[in-house]
Amino acid sequence: MNLPKDYQSKMQEMLGEEYLQYLDSFNHSYGQTLRVNQLKMEPADFIRRFLLSGQVSWCNTGFYYEGEQKLSAHPYYYAGVYYLQEPSAMAPAAFLPVEPGDRVLDLCAAPGGKSTAIAAKLQGEGILISNDISASRCKPLLKNMEMAGVSNAVITCESPEKLADRFFGYFDKVLVDAPCSGEGMFRREPSMVKSWSLEEVNRYAELQREILSHAAQMVKPGGYLLYSTCTFAKEEDEQTVEYFLEQNADFSLQELPICDGIEEGRPEWTVSGREDVKNCRRFLPYKVRGEGHFAALFKKREEADCLDKVFEKADRKQIVKEQTISKEKIPDAMEDFMRDIPEWKQWKKRLFFIKERAFLLPEHCPDLRGLRIVRSGLYLGDCLKKRFEPSQALAMALHPSGYKRSISFPAEDIRVEKYLRGETVDMDDSELSGWTLFCVDEFPLGWGKCNRGRLKNKYNPGWRKL
């Protein structure tokens, strides 16, 4: 690895005698990893179906697997049963104490690995707002959220400043996996080395402090804020944490787990030598089975003075209101299709229409007017004249046991492969007709239209297996 001289000098100064161990880590691999999606399957069931080589110790749904298994091509991957993710990157969502029913913000969410992990923790309850300021990065974020079967999320494309202006004191939990110099990913992504410079490190540190200041405003009293990076730079890690705490006296650092090589934060790498940064966690690639990472968990005070700040702010700004649900008449074709879904009666109360498109808003969805919205809740489908066409997102969010017009094939059945390639599929049951949920081992893949023993493929063309 041809590392910049300034970077080598910097790392030698930080790591001392361990620097050679760090250099040697470029010659080794931790293997490959995935995270099981608990919206689809429990880890214990997954273990019985695949050859795994160990669990990621800081994430109870993360596993190492043998490299010869091409799990990116397995039908379960297309069914959203698991997400391929670097092990250290699993830590932020694992460390954030999300509970079902929480209001959660993933502020820098693309491409979706951490958002899908948070959504699995929510188990369909509460609301997740997944935001990324880049419109192009929101595209893979949307696909990954839909593939995972997430039904209670809103995807936005806004600046942290604008979201803070709207959602002051609103969220129970906020995750900031901040843009950074990426030093911890040099082994995995050697191309990132070319863009590294001391100037870039300082630029990112300034950006991170600005993002955190906006994120802090959106945390409710008693709520949590998780800050993470994939860099080793003390300017972006301990010193950014130090700056944040100096500027936000109502936040304190919480202790995070230590296991299998994870280290405490380093007080000596702060400007003032503050001891509480030991509660932060560093992932060094020569000590853990993963890439470089950093995480810090803050908690906001619940005292009256903190609450007074919220009420003072609310006096000057509009309190977050719930989204107004449109009262449009549900088209007959949509009613005919959706009545086969057991939750339909409850869903009717949260329907939202944008022209011909129908969406299911999360419960108690906040007012989204004026924001750049990529997706408002679960996209159900299109109401076109006298017919209804269900969406790919709806298929992924359903469970076949609760939908009578479904058909399932084993993962090794050639018809699964044909379906994923967008081909017409021959059926065993010639009695099936109309829209049918196509599944692999009871996990939905998408829709098809059955007629006389043949299924016309309706799988999303952009998702097809090449």
Side-chain angles (χ1 to χ4, degrees):
M1 177 66 68
N2 187 19
L3 298 171
K5 289 184 179 179
D6 284 344
Y7 177 71
Q8 292 185 53
S9 299
K10 194 166 181 288
M11 292 299 287
Q12 277 184 294
E13 181 185 350
M14 288 177 63
L15 299 179
E17 294 179 354
E18 295 181 0
Y19 178 65
L20 292 179
Q21 296 178 55
Y22 167 64
L23 288 182
D24 186 56
S25 70
F26 285 93
N27 300 317
H28 303 282
S29 171
Y30 56 82
Q32 301 185 71
T33 47
L34 58 83
R35 178 179 44 76
V36 179
N37 178 11
Q38 286 184 291
L39 291 176
K40 305 274 187 174
M41 180 186 279
E42 289 301 318
D45 295 328
F46 189 86
I47 291 171
R48 289 193 286 267
R49 303 192 189 205
F50 289 93
L51 179 63
L52 304 173
S53 58
Q55 184 176 27
V56 178
S57 60
W58 50 86
C59 178
N60 61 10
T61 57
F63 296 93
Y64 299 90
Y65 67 93
E66 302 300 327
E68 58 269 18
Q69 296 181 90
K70 295 182 179 179
L71 294 191
S72 61
H74 196 280
Y76 280 21
Y77 171 78
Y78 290 88
V81 173
Y82 53 83
Y83 185 93
L84 301 177
Q85 188 174 29
E86 190 274 314
S88 296
M90 298 177 190
F95 287 167
L96 188 63
V98 172
E99 300 290 340
D102 279 345
R103 296 184 295 203
V104 186
L105 170 65
D106 186 356
L107 191 54
C108 310
K114 296 169 182 70
S115 275
T116 53
I118 291 170
K121 282 187 164 187
L122 288 173
Q123 286 293 300
E125 301 177 29
I127 183 170
L128 168 62
I129 294 184
S130 297
N131 178 77
D132 203 277
I133 198 169
S134 168
S136 61
R137 285 172 57 82
C138 279
K139 293 178 181 178
L141 169 61
L142 173 60
K143 178 182 177 181
N144 285 324
M145 293 287 274
E146 290 186 339
M147 187 176 287
V150 180
S151 62
N152 60 328
V154 173
I155 298 176
T156 59
C157 182
E158 281 294 354
S159 68
E161 181 180 11
K162 187 166 183 179
L163 291 177
D165 192 57
R166 174 69 64 88
F167 294 113
F168 186 87
Y170 178 76
F171 293 101
D172 299 291
K173 316 286 163 60
V174 175
L175 173 62
V176 177
D177 185 49
C180 68
S181 57
E183 297 170 359
M185 297 298 289
F186 284 176
R187 177 172 64 172
R188 185 180 176 92
E189 300 287 346
S191 61
M192 296 182 70
V193 176
K194 297 178 182 178
S195 62
W196 185 92
S197 69
L198 291 172
E199 292 76 18
E200 280 293 280
V201 169
N202 292 325
R203 184 182 73 83
Y204 276 116
E206 289 181 11
L207 176 61
Q208 290 152 3
R209 294 171 189 192
E210 180 184 350
I211 293 173
L212 274 175
S213 70
H214 296 307
Q217 296 177 47
M218 293 184 273
V219 181
K220 78 173 190 180
Y224 291 86
L225 168 61
L226 191 293
Y227 172 70
S228 63
T229 72
C230 57
T231 191
F232 305 120
K234 57 188 177 184
E235 298 88 346
E236 302 176 66
D237 294 344
E238 282 90 349
Q239 289 179 18
T240 290
V241 168
E242 176 185 33
Y243 177 85
F244 177 80
L245 290 170
E246 289 172 352
Q247 300 297 313
N248 297 271
D250 51 346
F251 281 86
S252 61
L253 274 172
Q254 305 297 294
E255 189 173 0
L256 289 170
I258 290 183
C259 54
D260 289 358
I262 299 175
E263 291 197 339
E264 294 179 339
R266 303 284 188 91
E268 65 270 25
W269 291 346
T270 64
V271 176
S272 62
R274 60 182 299 156
E275 287 292 316
D276 56 351
V277 299
K278 287 183 177 180
N279 288 332
C280 303
R281 295 295 177 257
R282 277 187 169 268
F283 295 69
L284 298 169
Y286 56 94
K287 293 189 175 183
V288 302
R289 290 184 65 187
E291 303 298 353
H293 224 80
F294 176 87
L297 180 64
F298 306 97
K299 185 176 182 181
K300 195 170 191 176
R301 283 210 312 263
E302 298 189 44
E303 284 86 348
D305 62 336
C306 187
L307 288 170
D308 288 343
K309 292 178 184 179
V310 174
F311 294 132
E312 179 185 347
K313 182 93 171 182
D315 288 339
R316 291 184 283 110
K317 292 186 177 290
Q318 181 182 6
I319 296 175
V320 179
K321 296 180 179 179
E322 287 190 22
Q323 181 76 39
T324 302
I325 307 295
S326 53
K327 300 297 183 181
E328 297 180 34
K329 183 181 182 302
I330 300 172
D332 292 340
M334 182 179 182
E335 182 76 56
D336 290 342
F337 179 91
M338 299 294 289
R339 66 164 54 105
D340 288 331
I341 298 174
E343 300 88 354
W344 174 233
K345 287 184 179 180
Q346 293 299 317
W347 285 8
K348 284 184 181 183
K349 302 174 184 177
R350 294 185 278 127
L351 282 186
F352 187 77
F353 290 90
I354 301 177
K355 296 183 178 179
E356 74 275 3
R357 289 191 156 194
F359 298 87
L360 175 69
L361 291 179
E363 287 192 88
H364 311 298
C365 183
D367 190 347
L368 303 172
R369 289 175 296 180
L371 299 176
R372 288 190 294 173
I373 305 299
V374 177
R375 181 54 46 83
S376 301
L378 177 62
Y379 170 38
L380 298 177
D382 296 342
C383 302
L384 303 171
K385 293 183 179 179
K386 294 185 177 181
R387 71 181 193 276
F388 175 73
E389 293 193 358
S391 71
Q392 179 72 40
L394 174 61
M396 303 304 288
L398 290 176
H399 193 284
S401 64
Y403 188 77
K404 68 178 184 180
R405 292 197 305 275
S406 65
I407 189 164
S408 183
F409 296 99
E412 60 275 11
D413 194 306
I414 188 60
R415 286 171 290 191
V416 172
E417 182 75 10
K418 292 181 69 174
Y419 179 81
L420 290 173
R421 294 185 184 280
E423 300 175 21
T424 299
V425 177
D426 292 325
M427 312 292 287
D428 297 327
D429 188 351
S430 60
E431 299 299 319
L432 272 175
S433 64
W435 286 102
T436 303
L437 188 63
F438 190 97
C439 307
V440 53
D441 292 332
E442 301 299 320
F443 300 111
L445 288 172
W447 298 106
K449 258 193 167 180
C450 287
N451 184 29
R452 297 179 180 178
R454 290 175 68 82
L455 182 133
K456 185 178 180 181
N457 202 309
K458 296 292 183 178
Y459 189 54
N460 188 326
W463 292 20
R464 287 176 184 171
K465 191 174 181 180
L466 301 177

